[in-house]
Amino acid sequence: MSGLLSREYTNQLRDFGCKVIFFIEYVPVNEDTVELAPGDDKREMLLNELELLRNEYDDMLFLSFSRDEKTSGGCLAAGRGFFHINSHGGAEPCPASPYSDINVRDSTLLEALDSKLFTSLRDGGILLDNHEGSCVLFEHKDEVERILN
């Protein structure tokens, strides 16, 4: 991970004209891959390095998904900041949360944002919950599935 956070790499990206860099943590989508997600020590290192980069490169924007959730008031899924449309048109809270109760082929984007699933996630407090890993929706997948059923 240090190569991606190096000044040499960041300078090269800036020389290419890059103004925004996204750091996206691996988010498990099933129990068999939980160990592939970065541990607390790696996530803390990323947070510290991003803070240094943000202070050194005031002409660039560094975003960390999902690490920046703590500074943005919780998970930004389900229309709090973004949502995902899968290849079949299903509106999902997040690319790492493959649940949908509405399809944009049969509805508008505004209707998708107003779906039962998205509304329940935003109003139910799940997205604001403190969580251990990198994804609050993964940690609360049973609750998300109950909303769908």
Side-chain angles (χ1 to χ4, degrees), residues 9-52:
Y9 183 65
T10 303
N11 289 335
Q12 183 180 22
L13 291 174
R14 182 169 53 181
D15 291 345
F16 288 148
C18 180
K19 296 292 181 190
V20 179
I21 299 175
F22 289 90
F23 291 88
I24 301 174
E25 295 176 26
Y26 174 77
V27 176
V29 293
N30 64 51
E31 298 296 330
D32 297 333
T33 62
V34 170
E35 74 282 350
L36 297 175
D40 288 337
D41 56 333
K42 292 283 188 193
R43 283 197 292 274
E44 191 64 31
M45 184 201 72
L46 176 61
L47 184 64
N48 291 337
E49 288 297 317
L50 284 177
E51 191 61 34
L52 292 172

